[in-house]
Amino acid sequence: MRYDIIGDVHGCFDELVELLRRLGHRVDGKRLEVRPGRQVVFVGDLVDRGPKVAEVLELVMDAAGRGAALVVRGNHDDRLALYLRGWPIRSAGSIDSSLRQLAHRSVEFQQQVMDFLGSLPPRLLLADGELLVTHAGDILTDDEAARAEFNVNSARTGVVDEFGVKELVDWVSEYAGEHFVVYGHETVLEPLHRARTLNLDTGCVYGGRLTALRFPEMQVVSVAAHAPYATAKRWVALQAVRS
């Protein structure tokens, strides 16, 4: 099996359809038909911030239900699922955009979303163990709960970086695993290849790009955002550094 791994979508449905078609797949309405011999894999954060969260969920849930797509759980997916279950979330924050959009859908659909997002695994081991896909990174530990938490949310050092954001733990510098890890979570201007890892979160929702990796070909494919739908301190700072 060959894989097309897609970075953080964040409700950018139109860009997702464009990227899937560029990868050679068919999209008819909300139905994805994947090329024979390939499987689409999402690194998580399907929801929040973007304009078409429900449409993204419809397409991905249908594809996953037919075995055409695999998805790992991102921190935004996790928080939305918990919120829909009635868990107290201290600050809804970017969940608000998803809730506004889901409010126009049926209770049944909202239940399906809650069940789907809540069932997503923290990581996937593919290609006979050569490839590991997760949302926020990976650590080597025998504590499965701690590893799963890191897969979904990573961890912060407590230090505020030059972008005014609390630093994430630099897990890549210490990663000694045998797998090639593809992930997202921390926005970068271009796909970031370090050691045996690749970060695909190129900030589509902020006006960047939606990026995929063809594996094992190791070919990066991306499409430009149609518009900036949200903003964040880190993205603004990254753009300022670039200019």
Side-chain angles (χ1 to χ4, degrees), residues 173-222:
S173 65
E174 300 180 2
Y175 181 71
E178 59 184 319
H179 320 296
F180 183 77
V181 182
V182 181
Y183 67 106
H185 189 55
E186 185 172 29
T187 312
V188 289
L189 292 175
E190 303 291 342
L192 182 60
H193 192 171
R194 293 175 60 201
R196 288 182 54 75
T197 75
L198 181 67
N199 181 352
L200 290 179
D201 182 6
T202 48
C204 184
V205 76
Y206 304 125
R209 302 184 72 83
L210 186 61
T211 299
L213 173 71
R214 284 184 171 132
F215 186 92
E217 299 90 338
M218 298 301 289
Q219 178 186 11
V220 171
V221 181
S222 68

Side-chain angles (χ1 to χ4, degrees), residues 56-94:
V56 167
L57 287 167
E58 285 177 314
L59 184 145
V60 175
M61 288 165 59
D62 175 73
R66 292 183 287 107
L70 299 171
V71 192
V72 297
R73 182 167 20 117
N75 58 306
H76 285 265
D77 310 316
D78 190 52
R79 291 176 72 241
L80 180 58
L82 291 173
Y83 189 94
L84 292 173
R85 282 185 193 153
W87 284 49
I89 301 295
R90 190 182 312 172
S91 173
S94 55

Side-chain angles (χ1 to χ4, degrees), residues 1 33 56 66 88 113 127 141 153 212 214 233:
M1 182 66 70
E33 297 292 347
V56 167
R66 292 183 287 107
V113 168
T141 173
N153 293 292
R214 284 184 171 132
K233 285 190 217 177

Side-chain angles (χ1 to χ4, degrees), residues 14-232:
D14 295 336
E15 292 86 349
L16 175 58
V17 170
E18 182 181 348
L19 179 59
L20 287 167
R21 288 173 174 163
R22 187 165 296 185
L23 290 165
H25 309 299
R26 288 186 56 195
V27 182
D28 184 6
K30 306 292 189 326
R31 184 176 176 86
L32 168 63
E33 297 292 347
V34 175
R35 291 169 56 192
R38 302 199 75 89
Q39 195 163 42
V40 174
V41 186
F42 293 90
V43 305
D45 276 6
L46 300 173
V47 304
D48 293 352
R49 297 191 172 125
K52 295 186 178 181
V53 168
E55 289 86 343
V56 167
L57 287 167
E58 285 177 314
L59 184 145
V60 175
M61 288 165 59
D62 175 73
R66 292 183 287 107
L70 299 171
V71 192
V72 297
R73 182 167 20 117
N75 58 306
H76 285 265
D77 310 316
D78 190 52
R79 291 176 72 241
L80 180 58
L82 291 173
Y83 189 94
L84 292 173
R85 282 185 193 153
W87 284 49
I89 301 295
R90 190 182 312 172
S91 173
S94 55
I95 291 177
D96 289 345
S97 60
S98 294
L99 295 177
R100 283 194 300 270
Q101 296 172 55
L102 292 176
H104 299 289
R105 301 301 180 109
S106 68
V107 173
E108 179 184 10
F109 180 71
Q110 293 179 42
Q111 179 71 45
Q112 290 170 350
V113 168
M114 180 185 73
D115 293 342
F116 174 72
L117 295 180
S119 70
L120 297 177
R123 63 186 176 277
L124 290 167
L125 193 57
L126 306 170
D128 295 324
E130 183 179 353
L131 172 66
L132 189 145
V133 179
T134 189
H135 177 64
D138 194 38
I139 53 173
L140 299 181
T141 173
D142 292 331
D143 186 337
E144 173 54 33
R147 186 180 183 189
E149 170 67 18
F150 195 93
N151 293 153
V152 175
N153 293 292
S154 184
R156 298 194 182 274
T157 65
V159 175
V160 176
D161 65 17
E162 67 269 31
F163 308 120
V165 179
K166 288 183 180 178
E167 281 184 349
L168 291 174
V169 170
D170 184 12
W171 63 275
V172 175
S173 65
E174 300 180 2
Y175 181 71
E178 59 184 319
H179 320 296
F180 183 77
V181 182
V182 181
Y183 67 106
H185 189 55
E186 185 172 29
T187 312
V188 289
L189 292 175
E190 303 291 342
L192 182 60
H193 192 171
R194 293 175 60 201
R196 288 182 54 75
T197 75
L198 181 67
N199 181 352
L200 290 179
D201 182 6
T202 48
C204 184
V205 76
Y206 304 125
R209 302 184 72 83
L210 186 61
T211 299
L213 173 71
R214 284 184 171 132
F215 186 92
E217 299 90 338
M218 298 301 289
Q219 178 186 11
V220 171
V221 181
S222 68
V223 298
H226 296 182
Y229 306 111
T231 188

Side-chain angles (χ1 to χ4, degrees), residues 163 189 233-243:
F163 308 120
L189 292 175
K233 285 190 217 177
R234 177 179 171 82
W235 183 256
V236 171
L238 286 171
Q239 293 286 71
V241 170
R242 168 183 271 179
S243 59

